[in-house]
Amino acid sequence: MQNRSLSVTVLRCPDCGNDLDGLSTDVIFFCTECGRCLVSGDKLAPVEIEFTRYDDSGTILLPFWKVDATVDILRRISRSESRTVPIAGQRDFHGGNLDLVESFKAIRRDLIIFPAFSTSLVLSTGVLLSEEEFSQEPLQQGKYPPMTGGSIGLEDVSKLASGVAVGIEVCKSDYLAFIDLDIDVHSAKVLAIGCTPSESTFRMNGTNINIPFTSVNDADDILRRSGYNV
Ligand SMILES: [Zn+2]
């Protein structure tokens, strides 16, 4: 029999020494002992965390990224109404034929929020979330509710925030034909949002936003670890 060595990394909070509980894919950890949120990259580093809508009973705190960014719209082409163009052989393309309107250069400062756990709906959920108000709620000192770990690290934050920013443009009332934008991330913090599991979704407390279990890769583990029978 071959000698196999298994390497096990025990993650401990660098501040208080408490064991950090998490799934094998997790890169975001919350220390329920001292209230520190940590994200692993080259090393385990602290990251700012805010809590919101966590007070309902049965709540599971799920981690999201809350990104403060400047969105620089370099070029945007849209038209005022949806139009189907019949394909009739080869023809020249003139934007004017299609009522295309081109606008240049707009810069805005945005808060972009999207799941920090693996989901197939990360971008569309981000578009919905970014329209909601999530004000921070103070925690009672020394009492930290457990938060599920997250699997999306800081290195992916800029790319995903950019995807959500494009999604926000797509959802505007005109019909987007083309968009080119740059994003400059000023800060990224973890936002722990209280969610209540229903029959088949995580419903975000106080909103109509539901994340189907089927779209969350670790849904069963998240539920089991929060004391729900799966
Ligand atoms: Zn700690």
Side-chain angles (χ1 to χ4, degrees):
M1 198 174 130
Q2 242 181 343
N3 219 355
R4 293 171 64 204
S5 69
L6 290 171
S7 89
V8 176
T9 312
V10 178
L11 285 172
R12 292 221 164 81
C13 174
D15 274 1
C16 71
N18 186 40
D19 282 352
L20 298 171
D21 190 25
L23 303 174
S24 57
T25 50
D26 282 356
V27 294
I28 300 169
F29 305 90
F30 180 64
C31 178
T32 51
E33 206 53 41
C34 69
R36 198 51 92 105
C37 189
L38 300 147
V39 60
S40 68
D42 293 340
K43 60 188 177 74
L44 213 51
V47 61
E48 204 179 322
I49 182 166
E50 290 182 359
F51 293 86
T52 188
R53 305 179 188 208
Y54 66 91
D55 240 356
D56 296 14
S57 65
T59 285
I60 295 178
L61 280 170
L62 294 178
F64 295 81
W65 282 109
K66 182 178 176 182
V67 178
D68 175 14
T70 296
V71 179
D72 191 351
I73 311 278
L74 301 170
R75 197 173 178 216
R76 186 180 200 283
I77 302 176
S78 64
R79 56 180 181 264
S80 52
E81 61 184 51
S82 174
R83 177 178 295 217
T84 315
V85 181
I87 298 168
Q90 195 175 358
R91 61 190 188 81
D92 295 329
F93 176 81
H94 300 294
N97 299 343
L98 300 167
D99 301 330
L100 292 176
V101 179
E102 179 160 354
S103 53
F104 290 89
K105 279 302 213 182
I107 294 183
R108 56 164 200 269
R109 189 87 179 243
D110 265 349
L111 276 177
I112 296 170
I113 301 170
F114 53 88
F117 48 95
S118 175
T119 148
S120 56
L121 305 172
V122 60
L123 295 182
S124 57
T125 305
V127 172
L128 289 172
L129 283 169
S130 296
E131 291 166 357
E132 285 278 333
E133 284 281 332
F134 291 102
S135 47
Q136 182 177 11
E137 292 166 25
L139 286 180
Q140 284 171 279
Q141 201 58 36
K143 184 170 171 271
Y144 301 109
M147 181 187 76
T148 305
S151 55
I152 292 175
L154 272 169
E155 67 279 7
D156 292 325
V157 158
S158 175
K159 200 168 48 191
L160 288 171
S162 176
V164 174
V166 170
I168 290 169
E169 292 298 319
V170 170
C171 289
K172 287 186 173 165
S173 61
D174 60 359
Y175 292 88
L176 189 68
F178 176 86
I179 184 83
D180 184 16
L181 58 77
D182 266 348
I183 195 159
D184 185 16
V185 172
H186 304 292
S187 73
K189 54 179 84 167
V190 171
L191 177 66
I193 304 179
C195 301
T196 305
S198 69
E199 213 166 278
S200 60
T201 67
F202 294 106
R203 184 185 53 78
M204 255 165 254
N205 295 343
T207 75
N208 290 321
I209 303 174
N210 289 286
I211 304 181
F213 294 154
T214 49
S215 73
V216 179
N217 294 348
D218 300 320
D220 284 357
D221 280 324
I222 291 171
L223 289 165
R224 233 177 260 123
R225 281 149 41 96
S226 304
Y228 284 85
N229 289 323
V230 181

